Amino acid sequence: MDIPSKYIATSVENKWYDYWMKNDYFHSTPDEREPYTIVIPPPNVTGVLHMGHMLNNTIQDVLIRRARLQGKNACWVPGTDHASIATEAKVVAKLKEQGIDKNDLTREEFLAHAWEWKHEYGGIILEQLKKLGCSCDWERTSFTMDPDMSESVIKVFVDLYNKGLIYRGYRMVNWDPEAKTTLSDEEVIHVEKQGNLYYLEYKVEGSDETLTIATTRPETIFGDTAICINPNDARFTHLKGKKAIVPLCNRVIPIIEDEYVDIEFGTGCLKVTPAHDENDKVLGDKHKLEVIDIFHEDASLNSFGLHYEGKDRFVARKEIVKELEEKGILIKTESHLNKVGTSERTKAIIEPRLSDQWFLKMEDLAKPAIDAVLGEDAEINLYPKKFENTYRHWMENIRDWNISRQLWWGQQIPAYFYGDGKEDFVVAENSSDALELAKEKTNNFQLTTNDLRQDSDALDTWFSSWLWPMSVFDGLRNPENEEIKYYYPTNDLVTGPDILFFWVARMIVAGYEFKDKKPFNNVYLTGLVRDKQRRKMSKSLGNSPNALKLIEEYGADGVRVGLLLSSAAGNDLMFDESLCQQGKGFANKIWNAFRLVNGWEIDESAKQTEVAEIAIDWYEAKFQTVLAEIDDHFSKYRLSDALMAIYKLVWDDFASWFLEMVKPEFGKPIDKKTYDAVIAAFENNLKLLHPFMPFLTEEIWQFISVRTPEEALIVAKWPEVTTSNAELIEDFSMIAEVVSGIRTIRKEKNISFKEGIELFVVNNDNATTELDAVIKKLTNTATINYVSEKVEGASFRVKSNEYFVPVSVDDIDVEAETEKLNAELKRAEGFLFGITKKLSNERFVNNAPEKVLELERKKEADTLAKIETIKNSLASLK
């Protein structure tokens, strides 16, 4: 076959992805094999591929491809999340461009536009994941608002309501005035902001007295319904039973007493605004105060704001401060740093707001999920373990979950009102069932579906995605179906720590509530992708590279390798584009190694050389050692370490040593036995590389031999760990140092490689002579002589052995040689100091395993011998 001189990723990637798709390698159906299942964290339907997705999905693909090679029935379920807030905002913006106001549409008309938007733009990200090489079972692609998924969500809501776990309550909630919906506590990010503390004077009714309050939000005075003092505060006993007058609106309000007020804090007088502060609401309920809501849903002031009606809260604040100042009501202003709640999604500043909302009681539901991760018999593992503390904090301080949103895009809450009262409703999966329930509840059998009005709110998006590992296998509507029984619990979940509570914890809660089983065995939490300056990647900073352009420039394999070389479990990834260049360079190295091997002529009758035999035995031993290492890294989710081990094996051991040892002399053929062994070793390397670099490896695999679809690399067999020859590896590592030493002398003394040299060895270390043939071939050494005395010439040491290459006396630079030896001596003495310190540490000696102590004592002996050798060499130069 004609093999291109360069590896061109762009010409290879589509070819093999289409081939994999055509042959259905990604598709899974239940069978007799062990299942290995991953469900994708469904990206927002509005999303496009960014660096976080690239990292997360590369890791998932590495895991799924390795499982496939291990003979497991690998199933990776893809899909997208309907993302209520983000999608509704996109649709509203698009309608606005067309001159359409959402408020002029019915719910059905708006949803028609939303679905149209979803069909046009939604799911772009899934197509982009294909470019990365993701081997998802695309036939299983799910969307959280697919009819079957929505049916599952509604079924769960009804079930939890009937269990008494879902209730409707009038509560102070987090209101996002931009998205015009409530948010759960977890969707609010508290950000430190520099603001002001304003000191205002309120008149006391029927007197010339005044009292002073301090507030960060002067616009909320329009909602004040009391002033509160501490009954034990001697400064204000004269105010007991009196009333105050609210500035600007001149409302007369009572002065109440409560020990809630901290005598030491602020002025000691607290303005109470029950509609706009959670603590004030508690006080208001206790003292039966009036509740005055001063805001519209977009946080502009309503009619209670008087002449500021219709103005945005922040615009109004500036103007109110100015008016208060002009009227002498504002006494002073101080700078004040405080934490402000902001919407995770829109970044708008949250308004506390009273409204009727739906809540899910979480305290009892959370208990099995706490035990599953943190209990004595924990059955879900978090990697890295450090996130267990975060999980514990969230779960042990859990609050009821506000699950209703004032949006249209999402599953509509299945509550049906039959009257005007707050309790005049029933909960059912559909309007027919609701009608029957309403008739029973009211005893009015004349009711029709026209008399029912469904709650207009939608459910929180997380209320659908918390069911994801079950709903993608239809495990809620059909709990005994073959797929849920085969694929659930899933194996690994790969996601970011930022949604450990939002999504991961809630899926665990749902798993135990609805299946009485964990949803997955392991959770691998990736770090966040940051730039070289440790900044989070964002559009506003302009530091987030275009993911598809990276793939175009470096190839999907190059980008995958670049991402994983810089990633560590749970630690943030400092992304540097040069790592993708390194990944591309690695792909080229492998390609060139293949071209080298493929270019060799084979002689069927030639005998295998001694060096080739040694090389094959050594590489097999080395491969087995590294394979065991790689499997261990995978078991601990150290994928970067696994990749680095493969990288070194292929770049250093295979390309730099093994191929150099076996390659035939220039212009001569290679024997078939050695060639076959080289190809077998290459194929094993490709199997290890395939999960990380699927395109390049499949391309080379298919070039090596004509393969049937059943013989494709994607479904080949992962190598099995067997015993390895540790002694040979140890001996070879010494030989490698000898080869490096000789090469250094050739370079320093300008001795051409074509010129054969003699090597003299003072074998103090009793090193094996069985590998001398390797030294000879790799360094063009004509003879190796073992002697008891030093020989004139350039020298180097390996352990306590001394190696001499005779060169003309004039060629030896005594000063340079002395400097080199002194530097070596300093290094060796420093190394010895560290070992001696360790071995003189009683605690270390008493606790370390015998094997470790043995190794340390051997290092000490070797280093002492090396120091003596260096000192002797220095003496001989004087």
Side-chain angles (χ1 to χ4, degrees):
M1 278 184 270
D2 187 24
I3 294 164
S5 59
K6 285 184 178 176
Y7 175 66
I8 314 290
T10 45
S11 66
V12 166
E13 289 169 359
N14 285 344
K15 173 179 77 176
W16 290 118
Y17 203 88
D18 291 346
Y19 176 80
W20 294 329
M21 289 285 282
K22 181 184 154 195
N23 286 288
D24 241 5
Y25 297 121
F26 304 164
H27 184 53
S28 168
T29 51
D31 60 25
E32 71 292 341
R33 289 175 296 166
E34 178 191 342
Y36 176 83
T37 317
I38 294 180
V39 292
I40 202 171
N44 284 357
V45 72
T46 58
V48 290
L49 199 62
H50 60 57
M51 299 310 290
H53 294 131
M54 297 263 276
L55 171 67
N56 186 288
N57 287 284
T58 294
I59 290 168
Q60 289 175 81
D61 196 45
V62 168
L63 294 172
I64 211 85
R65 284 181 183 272
R66 178 170 176 266
R68 204 177 278 124
L69 289 169
Q70 288 175 312
K72 294 174 186 173
N73 190 350
C75 178
W76 182 12
V77 182
T80 49
D81 186 279
H82 64 272
S84 296
I85 296 175
T87 309
E88 186 142 330
K90 293 256 187 196
V91 177
V92 167
K94 191 180 179 217
L95 290 171
K96 202 173 179 182
E97 284 171 18
Q98 297 169 4
I100 303 168
D101 187 333
K102 176 192 167 185
N103 299 316
D104 296 336
L105 301 174
T106 64
R107 186 188 199 106
E108 288 65 33
E109 286 168 342
F110 176 80
L111 288 175
H113 284 287
W115 279 107
E116 189 184 309
W117 184 93
K118 188 262 175 191
H119 293 313
E120 191 173 344
Y121 301 103
I124 287 173
I125 191 164
L126 297 183
E127 290 305 309
Q128 292 174 328
L129 288 177
K130 293 176 183 177
K131 296 283 180 199
L132 189 61
C134 293
S135 56
C136 301
D137 186 347
W138 298 110
E139 289 177 43
R140 293 182 176 275
T141 303
S142 293
F143 174 55
T144 50
M145 268 178 65
D146 282 340
D148 57 327
M149 303 291 269
S150 289
E151 198 181 311
S152 298
V153 172
I154 299 304
K155 191 178 183 66
V156 161
F157 183 98
V158 174
D159 176 67
L160 291 169
Y161 177 80
N162 289 337
K163 287 173 180 169
L165 292 169
I166 285 179
Y167 63 94
R168 195 164 186 259
Y170 187 64
R171 299 279 189 281
M172 182 71 74
V173 293
N174 305 300
W175 182 260
D176 179 337
E178 193 171 312
K180 298 186 181 64
T181 183
T182 58
L183 302 176
S184 65
D185 293 333
E186 295 75 34
E187 291 168 296
V188 177
I189 310 295
H190 292 276
V191 182
E192 278 202 340
K193 292 205 175 189
Q194 189 66 52
N196 291 318
L197 194 59
Y198 303 92
Y199 289 81
L200 310 180
E201 248 183 13
Y202 284 49
K203 288 179 179 175
V204 177
E205 189 189 35
S207 74
D208 295 332
E209 288 180 277
T210 59
L211 57 86
T212 305
I213 63 96
T215 180
T216 56
R217 305 190 61 198
E219 68 278 13
T220 62
I221 62 172
F222 294 117
D224 289 355
T225 55
I227 297 291
C228 190
I229 56 173
N230 190 308
N232 307 312
D233 193 339
R235 295 174 295 173
F236 302 119
T237 49
H238 65 289
L239 292 179
K240 291 182 179 185
K242 295 188 177 178
K243 293 184 176 180
I245 300 166
V246 180
L248 305 188
C249 67
N250 298 321
R251 186 187 305 117
V252 177
I253 57 174
I255 296 172
I256 61 172
E257 299 169 59
D258 200 290
E259 288 185 348
Y260 167 76
V261 178
D262 185 348
I263 295 173
E264 304 297 321
F265 183 76
T267 65
C269 292
L270 179 77
K271 70 190 272 305
V272 185
T273 320
H276 300 294
D277 182 275
E278 199 162 345
N279 296 318
D280 288 11
K281 174 69 170 67
V282 173
L283 267 179
D285 288 348
K286 185 176 173 183
H287 294 275
K288 298 184 171 52
L289 298 176
E290 188 183 357
V291 177
I292 299 173
D293 184 350
I294 67 163
F295 291 122
H296 291 299
E297 62 174 14
D298 64 354
S300 62
L301 273 70
N302 61 23
S303 60
F304 284 107
L306 304 177
H307 46 292
Y308 295 104
E309 184 179 359
K311 290 193 174 177
D312 175 77
R313 55 189 164 159
F314 299 118
V315 173
R317 181 181 298 175
K318 284 180 185 171
E319 294 180 10
I320 288 165
V321 166
K322 193 179 173 191
E323 185 179 350
L324 291 168
E325 202 169 11
E326 286 168 355
K327 291 185 171 173
I329 296 162
L330 177 63
I331 301 167
K332 63 172 179 174
T333 305
E334 289 176 352
S335 287
H336 179 69
L337 190 69
N338 66 335
K339 283 200 166 181
V340 178
T342 56
S343 165
E344 184 205 32
R345 181 66 58 193
T346 66
K347 307 298 180 252
I349 290 175
I350 293 302
E351 276 299 334
R353 193 181 196 207
L354 284 164
S355 72
D356 286 306
Q357 300 292 335
W358 293 90
F359 295 88
L360 174 60
K361 294 177 186 175
M362 292 300 289
E363 193 178 351
D364 290 338
L365 284 174
K367 284 172 186 169
I370 294 171
D371 290 341
V373 175
L374 307 169
E376 276 183 32
D377 300 319
E379 53 179 3
I380 296 174
N381 307 301
L382 301 188
Y383 293 92
K385 268 183 91 66
K386 66 178 183 181
F387 287 111
E388 286 180 5
N389 291 331
T390 313
Y391 185 86
R392 183 188 301 279
H393 172 76
W394 278 112
M395 297 301 278
E396 290 182 353
N397 295 284
I398 202 159
R399 296 172 67 172
D400 287 356
W401 176 9
N402 171 7
I403 54 173
S404 48
R405 297 290 178 271
Q406 288 60 58
L407 299 164
W408 283 348
W409 178 246
Q411 285 90 10
Q412 192 173 353
I413 288 175
Y416 297 82
F417 290 83
Y418 52 78
D420 297 327
K422 284 193 174 186
E423 298 303 316
D424 293 350
F425 67 84
V426 291
V427 168
E429 288 183 38
N430 53 59
S431 57
S432 306
D433 291 352
L435 182 60
E436 292 312 309
L437 287 171
K439 284 177 180 177
E440 281 176 43
K441 197 171 174 184
T442 59
N443 216 18
N444 175 3
F445 294 94
Q446 303 309 309
L447 283 177
T448 68
T449 48
N450 292 332
D451 298 315
L452 301 181
R453 174 182 54 83
Q454 189 173 351
D455 192 310
S456 61
D457 286 357
L459 283 158
D460 179 9
T461 304
W462 296 110
F463 195 82
S464 54
S465 52
W466 78 319
L467 307 172
W468 189 247
M470 295 176 283
S471 56
V472 293
F473 298 115
D474 204 14
L476 293 154
R477 298 187 315 155
N478 299 298
E480 293 304 311
N481 82 72
E482 183 192 15
E483 296 218 328
I484 192 78
K485 284 158 83 172
Y486 181 75
Y487 292 114
Y488 187 94
T490 67
N491 294 74
D492 296 322
L493 180 78
V494 182
T495 189
D498 51 331
I499 54 172
L500 178 57
F501 179 77
F502 284 124
W503 191 47
V504 180
R506 286 171 176 164
M507 281 192 288
I508 297 171
V509 168
Y512 285 103
E513 176 62 17
F514 299 108
K515 297 300 294 176
D516 201 22
K517 277 184 192 172
K518 58 184 175 181
F520 27 71
N521 301 328
N522 306 294
V523 181
Y524 176 99
L525 296 152
T526 66
L528 292 172
V529 183
R530 297 182 180 274
D531 67 11
K532 286 186 285 184
Q533 297 169 46
R534 304 186 75 87
R535 298 177 304 175
K536 194 174 175 181
M537 289 195 165
S538 69
K539 282 180 189 169
S540 56
L541 285 173
N543 63 347
S544 186
N546 180 313
L548 292 178
K549 279 190 178 165
L550 285 177
I551 290 172
E552 216 173 282
E553 191 167 346
Y554 302 108
D557 293 336
V559 175
R560 288 164 69 115
V561 168
L563 277 164
L564 286 175
L565 284 179
S566 56
S567 167
N571 293 326
D572 288 351
L573 178 154
M574 304 307 138
F575 180 74
D576 182 347
E577 208 168 304
S578 64
L579 291 162
C580 294
Q581 183 61 57
Q582 190 180 338
K584 184 179 181 178
F586 185 40
N588 288 334
K589 178 83 173 177
I590 299 161
W591 184 256
N592 289 334
F594 170 61
R595 289 188 69 246
L596 171 73
V597 171
N598 191 68
W600 293 339
E601 191 186 324
I602 304 160
D603 184 342
E604 300 273 351
S605 60
K607 283 188 176 176
Q608 189 174 60
T609 64
E610 182 190 357
V611 175
E613 192 178 344
I614 293 167
I616 290 160
D617 289 346
W618 167 75
Y619 190 72
E620 279 176 6
K622 187 72 182 177
F623 181 88
Q624 280 301 323
T625 306
V626 176
L627 175 61
E629 220 179 282
I630 289 162
D631 284 349
D632 181 58
H633 287 319
F634 268 107
S635 74
K636 292 164 183 162
Y637 294 84
R638 296 199 300 244
L639 270 65
S640 300
D641 294 342
L643 174 59
M644 188 47 82
I646 298 168
Y647 188 98
K648 287 176 180 171
L649 175 77
V650 173
W651 191 291
D652 298 337
D653 301 319
F654 184 76
S656 301
W657 288 103
F658 179 61
L659 292 185
E660 285 301 310
M661 286 190 273
V662 299
K663 79 175 178 187
E665 285 180 48
F666 182 73
K668 290 189 177 176
I670 189 170
D671 68 279
K672 185 159 189 337
K673 188 178 180 184
T674 300
Y675 182 80
D676 289 347
V678 172
I679 291 297
F682 212 133
E683 288 186 338
N684 274 334
N685 290 345
L686 293 176
K687 289 172 187 176
L688 297 191
L689 282 162
H690 179 75
F692 299 94
M693 307 177 81
F695 295 109
L696 168 83
T697 51
E698 190 74 76
E699 174 81 345
I700 294 174
W701 180 267
Q702 300 279 355
F703 263 129
I704 286 173
S705 175
V706 176
R707 319 264 187 182
T708 65
E710 293 72 36
E711 294 167 330
L713 177 57
I714 189 173
V715 287
K717 192 167 182 271
W718 183 261
E720 281 181 24
V721 176
T722 58
T723 53
S724 63
N725 187 338
E727 195 182 331
L728 178 57
I729 292 170
E730 176 73 19
D731 289 343
F732 188 85
S733 68
M734 190 167 176
I735 295 305
E737 283 189 63
V738 174
V739 170
S740 297
I742 296 169
R743 284 172 174 171
T744 302
I745 287 173
R746 279 189 176 277
K747 190 178 174 188
E748 287 175 355
K749 309 300 179 195
N750 275 328
I751 303 167
S752 163
F753 186 78
K754 288 177 184 173
E755 192 182 321
I757 57 166
E758 276 189 288
L759 180 69
F760 292 84
V761 186
V762 178
N763 196 5
N764 298 320
D765 205 61
N766 291 319
T768 180
T769 59
E770 289 172 10
L771 305 183
D772 284 1
V774 174
I775 298 172
K776 286 180 176 179
K777 175 167 184 180
L778 294 181
T779 61
N780 192 15
T781 296
T783 57
I784 299 177
N785 309 290
Y786 287 83
V787 294
S788 53
E789 297 295 324
K790 294 179 176 60
V791 175
E792 283 294 322
S795 67
F796 61 92
R797 275 142 303 281
V798 176
K799 294 187 179 174
S800 58
N801 273 13
E802 291 180 272
Y803 296 84
F804 300 89
V805 176
V807 290
S808 164
V809 178
D810 300 336
D811 289 341
I812 297 177
D813 183 335
V814 176
E815 199 179 319
E817 193 72 11
T818 304
E819 195 180 321
K820 184 180 85 175
L821 288 168
N822 277 322
E824 269 190 61
L825 181 63
K826 192 177 176 183
R827 270 198 307 275
E829 286 174 339
F831 187 62
L832 180 66
F833 177 77
I835 299 168
T836 310
K837 192 176 176 185
K838 203 183 275 188
L839 288 171
S840 61
N841 182 331
E842 220 174 292
R843 197 169 160 199
F844 172 75
V845 174
N846 292 336
N847 294 315
E850 192 52 45
K851 271 191 175 180
V852 172
L853 287 173
E854 219 176 279
L855 187 66
E856 292 301 319
R857 287 180 187 129
K858 188 176 184 307
K859 281 185 199 170
E860 184 182 42
D862 287 348
T863 310
L864 282 166
K866 187 171 185 176
I867 287 169
E868 194 184 338
T869 306
I870 296 169
K871 283 179 176 174
N872 290 338
S873 296
L874 280 165
S876 70
L877 286 171
K878 286 176 183 172

